[in-house]
Amino acid sequence: KAGVTQTPRYLIKTRGQQVTLSCSPISGHRSVSWYQQTPGQGLQFLFEYFSETQRNKGNFPGRFSGRQFSNSRSEMNVSTLELGDSALYLCASNNPGEGGELFFGEGSRLTVL
Amino acid sequence: QKEVEQNSGPLSVPEGAIASLNCTYSDRGSQSFFWYRQYSGKSPELIMFIYSNGDKEDGRFTAQLNKASQYVSLLIRDSQPSDSATYLCAVSGGSGGYQKVTFGTGTKLQVIP
């Protein structure tokens, strides 16, 4: 069974640009969550999607958005990038009701110059 | 006050000793509690979960939960150098619902051979 796949793994952008990150969950998993990880703040919850619906959202500005497709694949977008958006973006999938364990992808490391 | 608090460490223990990792949470309604391990440069992986007050043992790992004190801990017996990693405490099921899993910033554990 393939794990959670995130693309791209690394990317470099400049301030003001926008970026789209992709996440393919484990086959059969319908919930996808996104997290931002930085050395100082740790893992911070961005949002969670289930059946193409955003069910919960963290305390991030509107520049951060996401969506989920009918095949459970998810994308997140960050517009008007700022230096502080440099981070590791982790996607996790699970099936609600199956113990709550999150299965993480390898992450997309974004550097904003 | 952070939702989930952990001592950032590093916590250094000699090989073979017991490592004790602690976590407090602010949302009294939280129902599910997790410990994830994250090796440097890798994504988090679940090592323990606990839902009820008391102790839960799995091999060398014991999770302890005290909902009245809003306190979760992880004991690692017979610590090995391979246990050196950052340990993340996570909670869900509170006001954010089960779909929002909130992480602490992690405690870095170093096991000295």
Side-chain angles (χ1 to χ4, degrees):
Chain A
K1 201 174 192 181
V4 178
T5 303
Q6 291 189 245
T7 57
R9 290 291 314 280
Y10 303 91
L11 64 166
I12 299 173
K13 294 284 187 179
T14 57
R15 280 180 298 174
Q17 288 187 309
Q18 66 100 24
V19 66
T20 299
L21 309 177
S22 178
C23 172
S24 292
I26 291 172
S27 177
H29 284 187
R30 296 170 63 191
S31 170
V32 173
S33 301
W34 287 90
Y35 289 84
Q36 181 195 66
Q37 187 172 35
T38 57
Q41 299 295 319
L43 271 165
Q44 292 190 284
F45 176 79
L46 281 156
F47 24 65
E48 186 264 357
Y49 287 89
F50 179 82
S51 293
E52 302 178 67
T53 300
Q54 185 184 91
R55 297 194 298 181
N56 214 320
K57 189 176 189 304
N59 296 323
F60 279 83
R63 300 185 296 108
F64 292 81
S65 63
R67 59 177 175 168
Q68 186 181 34
F69 303 96
S70 58
N71 61 357
S72 294
R73 190 178 71 86
S74 178
E75 288 181 349
M76 68 162 284
N77 183 279
V78 188
S79 62
T80 318
L81 285 166
E82 301 176 359
L83 296 179
D85 296 333
S86 294
L88 179 67
Y89 290 88
L90 288 164
C91 165
S93 74
N94 75 341
N95 256 342
E98 290 184 1
E101 177 180 2
L102 294 176
F103 295 84
F104 285 88
E106 293 290 309
S108 293
R109 183 164 295 281
L110 169 65
T111 301
V112 182
L113 302 177
Chain B
Q1 182 190 10
K2 287 189 175 180
E3 294 179 67
V4 180
E5 295 211 50
Q6 297 180 254
N7 188 321
S8 61
L11 172 66
S12 294
V13 299
E15 184 175 354
I18 295 175
S20 178
L21 305 163
N22 304 315
C23 168
T24 58
Y25 59 94
S26 61
D27 188 336
R28 188 169 287 278
S30 298
Q31 297 292 324
S32 303
F33 307 86
F34 309 89
W35 283 99
Y36 284 79
R37 178 176 61 200
Q38 186 173 25
Y39 290 114
S40 180
K42 299 294 186 181
S43 53
E45 57 177 347
L46 183 73
I47 52 173
M48 290 286 289
F49 64 86
I50 186 167
Y51 303 141
S52 304
N53 276 330
D55 296 358
K56 179 181 179 182
E57 187 175 318
D58 183 1
R60 296 187 296 111
F61 299 96
T62 299
Q64 299 174 317
L65 173 61
N66 183 326
K67 287 186 178 180
S69 300
Q70 295 174 244
Y71 177 89
V72 192
S73 66
L74 178 70
L75 299 178
I76 306 175
R77 289 181 300 281
D78 188 24
S79 295
Q80 300 298 309
S82 59
D83 294 327
S84 298
T86 297
Y87 289 80
L88 303 167
C89 173
V91 305
S92 71
S95 60
Y98 285 97
Q99 61 269 30
K100 180 183 179 184
V101 180
T102 301
F103 286 79
T105 52
T107 298
K108 186 173 183 178
L109 173 66
Q110 295 176 339
V111 180
I112 311 301

